[in-house]
Amino acid sequence: MGTPSAPIADFYAVVPAGGAGTRLWPLSRRDAPKFLLDLTGSGRSLLQGTVDRLVPLAGEDGVVLVTGERHVAAARTQLPGLSDDAVLAEPSPRDSMAAIGLAAAVLQERHGDVVIGSFAADQVISGTDAFEQAVREAVEAAREGYVVTIGIAASRPSTAFGYVRSGESLGVLSAPTALHAQGFTEKPDADTARAYLATGQYRWNAGMFIVRTSVLLDHLARERPALHDGLRTIAAAWDSPARDEVVAATWPGLERIAIDHAVAEPVAALGGVAVVPGTFGWDDVGDFNSLAALLPSVDGAGSKVLGDGADVVRIDSAGSVVVPGDRVVAVLGLDDVVVVDTPDALLVTTRARAQKVKQMVDALHDLGLDELL
Amino acid sequence: MGTPSAPIADFYAVVPAGGAGTRLWPLSRRDAPKFLLDLTGSGRSLLQGTVDRLVPLAGEDGVVLVTGERHVAAARTQLPGLSDDAVLAEPSPRDSMAAIGLAAAVLQERHGDVVIGSFAADQVISGTDAFEQAVREAVEAAREGYVVTIGIAASRPSTAFGYVRSGESLGVLSAPTALHAQGFTEKPDADTARAYLATGQYRWNAGMFIVRTSVLLDHLARERPALHDGLRTIAAAWDSPARDEVVAATWPGLERIAIDHAVAEPVAALGGVAVVPGTFGWDDVGDFNSLAALLPSVDGAGSKVLGDGADVVRIDSAGSVVVPGDRVVAVLGLDDVVVVDTPDALLVTTRARAQKVKQMVDALHDLGLDELL
C-alpha cells in the first residue's frame, strides 16, 4: 500500500452499471445483476468494490453512477454515501455511449470542462496502487486532449475480451508510459489472439475510457450528431424541473451504440486515442471459470467455493466450482463440475461449458420460465 | 392381467422392512428409508407396492409387517388397512433371521403350522401374474417341507446381487417348475458372475423365502438354538400382557444374522432348499443407476427424472438421472450425471459412481453431519 494521495483535481469517475451477466445465471438475475453481487467473497459487491476503488481518485463527491431505473434502489442501498445527484437513472438501456455520454454532458453542465473516467461496475481489480497510478497517468494524457484507455497486460490469449493495439510513445511528460493507440479489435478467435500476444503490442481493452468532457462531446457531435444533441438536450434539463419531461421525450429515441464503436474506434483512426498500460490484475468475471480464478482453492485440488466452504463436501472431485445455497452440496466423482444452488434454480454444468451458460438462459426463456431469469 | 384368484389358504406374507438404503442418499434417510419412498413415480411407496402385491396372495388379513419401532408410525400411515396385530415392531435391528423368525413364531402361535413367504419391503417387481404364479408354486413346494426361494432370471452378470444355483427338478406335481437348490453364493466379482450366467444354472437370490413355520423353526432350532429359543419365548408372550417385558428382556440378546447364513445355506447343503424360477421383472432399487432403470426416458436420450419432468431442463446432456426438489434443475453439457435435490442436501455425482454414494454418507458422518443422514 502506498501513501494515501489526494483525489485528482477536476476529475470525476463515472460508473456505468448495466448488463445482466447471463453467463453467471442463476447467481445473476435480471433483478440481481452481476454488479450487485459479491462474487469474490469479500463482503462487498462488484459495484461497491468499484466505488471503493474510485473514491480515493475522484473524492467522495466525485463518483457518478449511471444505471437503470430498476436498479437504483438496490444500488443506493449498497452505496449509502452517494448523493442524489450522484445517481443518473436511465429509463431504458441505450448501451454504453448514451450512459457515458449522459454523464459527460451532465457533469459538463455542472462543473464545466472536466476529466471523466468511465469504469464499469462489474469488474474486479487487484493491485490498487498500480490501478491508481494508471488512472493518474491517463488523466494527465486526457488533459492533453486524448481519449485515453487503459490497456491490461494480457495474461493469456483470451477470446472473451477485445484488444487495443498500442504504438509509439505519446510523448506527454506527465504520462510517461502512455502510448498512441493504433486501434481496437473485437473479441478474436484463439489463433488471432495468440498472434496478437506474439507482437507484444496488444492489450486487453477493459472498457476504461478517460477523457475531457468537451473532447468526448466534440467527438460525439462529429461522429453521432443526433445522439450528441439528444444527450445535450437531456443534460441541460437534468438539474431542472423539466428533467422528467425532457428525458421522457428524448431518451427513448437515442441510438443504442457502444462507446467503442461510436467514439473510440473512429477517433483511434484519427490518432486521437492513447493507451496507458495497466499492470494491475483485472477480470470482468464474465463466467464461472472467471469467477473461479478469483477464489482461493479450498482443498489443494483447485476446488473453489463461493460461500461457506463447510457447506461443500467433495469426494474424488478436483477443480469444482460450487456456489452453495442454504443446503449442503455433496459432489462425488466429478472433476471440474460447476454447481450453483439458489432458492429457485440449480445449475449443474462444467467449467468447460462456462461460456455456454447463456444458452441455458435462452432455453429457459423459450420455455416461458422468465421468472427464473 | 389374469382373472383374480382367491388368496392362498393358510398362507401369510411377511414383509421385513428395514435397511436405510444409503446408496440412495440424500433421497433415503434414516427416518425416511428406501421402503417408505415412492421411487418409481407410481404414487405408491415401495412398501405400499409390496403390500399391494401380496394382498391378493395372502388376503387382507394375511400380511404381517416386521419393522423397527421408529418406522411403525410412518408405515401405519402408509398402510391404514393393516390391523394392530399385523405390525411386529422390533426394538432394535437384529438382521433378517430374527425378523422373519419372529414372524414365523408369532404366526405359528396364532394359527398353527402355516406357510409363510418373506418379501422385502424395498423391492420393485413388474409382471404381477408371473409373480403370483411363482409364489403359488413356491407355497406348494413349501407344503412338502422345503425351504423355497424364488430365483430371478439374471438379465445381466450383476455384482450387486447374490445368486442361487439350481439343480434337478424337485418332482412336486403341484410345483412343476420347482428345482432343487444346490447352494447360494455371495455377491460375486464380474468374471464369476459371467461364468455363473454361462452355466444357465444360476439365478439372482431375491431374498424371497417361502416355508412352513414349523419347518423354518425346526431348522433354526438345529442351526441356531439360542436364537430359536429366544424367538419362541418372545412369540409365546407376544399376544399377552407380558409382551413388553419379555421383549425387553430377550430381544437385545438375539444373534444378528441373515436368514441366508442361519438357515438357507446350511439347509441347502442338506438338500432341503428348492428354487422356483421367477420370470417377472425384479430389482432392489439399490442405487441411482438401478432407480434410473425403472423410470421412462424423458427425452429419447436416456435421461430420467423422478418427479416433475418440467422441473428439469437439459442442454447437451444425455443419460442424466435427476430427482428435482422444489426448484428447477438446469443441466448443461454433462452426460450420465446424477443430481438429487432435497431441502437440506444436494448430491451431484455420476451414474458410474452410483454404488459409491455410501462413501459420501460415511464422509458426512465423519464430518459430524449426521442430521443430514
Side-chain angles (χ1 to χ4, degrees):
Chain A
M1 301 290 291
T3 308
S5 312
I8 304 167
D10 295 327
F11 173 65
Y12 292 83
V14 175
V15 178
T22 47
R23 285 169 297 165
L24 291 174
W25 182 90
L27 210 52
S28 62
R29 307 290 181 103
R30 288 178 180 172
D31 288 327
K34 195 172 70 167
F35 61 84
L36 291 174
L37 306 179
D38 170 14
L39 296 179
T40 61
S42 66
R44 302 286 281 170
S45 72
L46 298 188
L47 172 63
Q48 288 173 315
T50 300
V51 172
D52 291 347
R53 203 155 51 227
L54 294 170
V55 163
L57 291 166
E60 284 284 350
D61 300 325
V63 178
V64 172
L65 177 67
V66 189
T67 193
E69 281 175 354
R70 70 191 303 179
H71 303 308
V72 167
R76 283 199 179 285
T77 301
Q78 291 197 357
L79 298 169
L82 282 196
S83 70
D84 282 358
D85 281 351
V87 180
L88 308 185
E90 300 171 293
S92 55
R94 281 295 176 275
D95 215 328
S96 59
M97 188 65 250
I100 297 166
L102 174 66
V106 168
L107 287 166
Q108 182 155 307
E109 291 282 341
R110 290 177 181 168
H111 308 292
D113 187 13
V114 293
V115 175
I116 62 168
S118 168
F119 305 92
D122 56 0
Q123 301 182 347
V124 171
I125 285 172
S126 58
T128 303
D129 286 354
F131 173 71
E132 292 191 5
Q133 178 58 32
V135 174
R136 287 174 189 274
E137 278 207 39
V139 170
E140 293 305 315
R143 293 199 201 281
E144 300 297 314
Y146 290 96
V147 175
V148 188
T149 186
I150 297 178
I152 311 293
S155 56
R156 61 185 187 280
S158 173
T159 59
F161 305 136
Y163 288 73
V164 55
R165 185 181 178 197
S166 57
E168 300 299 308
S169 170
L170 202 61
V172 172
L173 278 180
S174 54
T177 70
L179 307 168
H180 283 284
Q182 298 190 311
F184 294 88
T185 68
E186 303 273 348
K187 296 174 186 178
D189 61 31
D191 285 344
T192 306
R194 277 188 287 270
Y196 285 171
L197 263 57
T199 68
Q201 293 186 308
Y202 287 82
R203 293 172 164 265
W204 289 336
N205 172 16
M208 300 175 183
F209 292 102
I210 297 92
V211 62
R212 278 186 11 223
T213 53
S214 63
V215 170
L216 180 65
L217 292 168
D218 285 351
H219 286 312
L220 187 61
R222 186 185 65 251
E223 300 290 338
R224 287 289 191 278
L227 179 53
H228 168 269
D229 294 351
L231 290 170
R232 296 298 286 259
T233 301
I234 293 170
W238 193 265
D239 293 321
S240 82
R243 181 204 297 178
D244 288 351
E245 186 186 341
V246 173
V247 167
T250 309
W251 186 268
L254 296 183
E255 184 183 10
R256 290 173 183 254
I257 186 169
I259 189 172
D260 306 70
H261 301 318
V263 167
E265 289 163 11
V267 174
L270 300 172
V273 175
V275 55
V276 170
T279 57
F280 48 87
W282 172 86
D283 206 302
D284 73 344
V285 207
D287 60 34
F288 288 109
N289 248 336
S290 174
L291 179 131
L294 300 172
L295 299 170
S297 172
V298 292
D299 63 353
S303 302
K304 307 297 181 83
V305 175
L306 178 60
D308 186 348
D311 286 341
V312 184
V313 181
R314 285 165 303 275
I315 296 177
D316 294 343
S317 171
S320 62
V321 183
V322 179
V323 185
D326 57 356
R327 79 202 63 212
V328 162
V329 178
V331 179
L332 171 64
L334 271 166
D335 290 340
D336 296 320
V337 69
V338 175
V339 180
V340 184
D341 185 22
T342 74
D344 58 353
L346 169 69
L347 173 69
V348 180
T349 186
T350 64
R351 293 179 67 155
R353 298 288 181 131
Q355 286 272 327
K356 307 286 189 186
V357 171
K358 189 175 183 307
Q359 289 182 4
M360 182 59 72
V361 172
D362 293 342
L364 293 168
H365 171 71
D366 292 344
L367 289 166
L369 296 170
D370 288 282
E371 75 274 12
L372 298 177
L373 305 183
Chain B
M1 300 294 289
T3 309
S5 311
I8 304 166
D10 295 328
F11 173 67
Y12 291 84
V14 175
V15 179
T22 47
R23 285 170 298 164
L24 291 174
W25 182 88
L27 211 52
S28 62
R29 306 290 181 103
R30 287 178 180 173
D31 288 326
K34 193 171 74 165
F35 61 85
L36 291 175
L37 306 179
D38 171 14
L39 296 178
T40 62
S42 67
R44 303 285 282 170
S45 72
L46 298 187
L47 171 64
Q48 289 173 315
T50 300
V51 172
D52 292 347
R53 206 158 46 231
L54 294 170
V55 163
L57 292 165
E60 284 284 350
D61 301 324
V63 177
V64 172
L65 176 68
V66 189
T67 193
E69 281 175 355
R70 70 192 300 178
H71 302 308
V72 166
R76 283 199 178 285
T77 301
Q78 290 197 357
L79 298 168
L82 281 195
S83 70
D84 283 357
D85 282 350
V87 180
L88 308 185
E90 301 171 293
S92 56
R94 281 296 175 275
D95 216 326
S96 60
M97 187 66 251
I100 297 167
L102 174 67
V106 168
L107 287 166
Q108 182 157 305
E109 290 282 343
R110 290 177 182 169
H111 308 292
D113 187 14
V114 293
V115 176
I116 63 167
S118 168
F119 305 92
D122 56 0
Q123 302 182 348
V124 171
I125 284 171
S126 57
T128 304
D129 287 355
F131 173 71
E132 293 191 3
Q133 178 58 32
V135 174
R136 287 174 189 275
E137 278 207 40
V139 170
E140 292 305 315
R143 293 199 200 280
E144 300 298 315
Y146 290 97
V147 176
V148 188
T149 186
I150 297 179
I152 310 295
S155 56
R156 62 186 186 279
S158 173
T159 59
F161 303 136
Y163 287 73
V164 55
R165 184 181 178 194
S166 57
E168 299 299 307
S169 170
L170 204 61
V172 173
L173 279 180
S174 55
T177 69
L179 308 167
H180 283 284
Q182 298 190 312
F184 295 87
T185 68
E186 303 272 350
K187 297 174 184 179
D189 60 32
D191 286 344
T192 306
R194 277 188 287 271
Y196 286 171
L197 263 58
T199 68
Q201 293 186 307
Y202 288 81
R203 291 171 165 265
W204 288 338
N205 172 19
M208 300 174 182
F209 292 103
I210 298 94
V211 62
R212 275 181 17 217
T213 53
S214 63
V215 170
L216 180 65
L217 292 168
D218 286 352
H219 286 312
L220 187 61
R222 185 185 64 252
E223 300 289 339
R224 287 290 191 276
L227 179 53
H228 167 268
D229 293 350
L231 291 171
R232 295 299 285 261
T233 301
I234 293 170
W238 193 266
D239 293 322
S240 82
R243 183 204 296 179
D244 288 352
E245 187 186 341
V246 173
V247 167
T250 309
W251 185 268
L254 297 182
E255 184 182 12
R256 290 171 182 256
I257 187 169
I259 188 171
D260 305 69
H261 300 320
V263 167
E265 289 164 11
V267 174
L270 300 171
V273 175
V275 56
V276 170
T279 58
F280 47 87
W282 172 87
D283 206 303
D284 73 345
V285 206
D287 60 34
F288 288 109
N289 248 337
S290 174
L291 180 136
L294 300 172
L295 298 170
S297 171
V298 292
D299 63 353
S303 301
K304 308 297 180 82
V305 175
L306 178 60
D308 187 346
D311 286 341
V312 184
V313 181
R314 285 166 301 277
I315 296 177
D316 295 343
S317 170
S320 63
V321 184
V322 179
V323 186
D326 57 357
R327 79 200 65 210
V328 162
V329 178
V331 179
L332 172 64
L334 272 166
D335 290 339
D336 296 321
V337 69
V338 175
V339 180
V340 183
D341 185 22
T342 74
D344 58 353
L346 168 68
L347 173 69
V348 180
T349 185
T350 65
R351 292 179 68 156
R353 297 288 180 130
Q355 287 272 327
K356 308 285 188 187
V357 172
K358 189 175 182 307
Q359 289 182 5
M360 182 59 72
V361 172
D362 293 342
L364 293 168
H365 172 70
D366 292 344
L367 289 167
L369 295 170
D370 289 281
E371 74 276 12
L372 299 178
L373 305 183

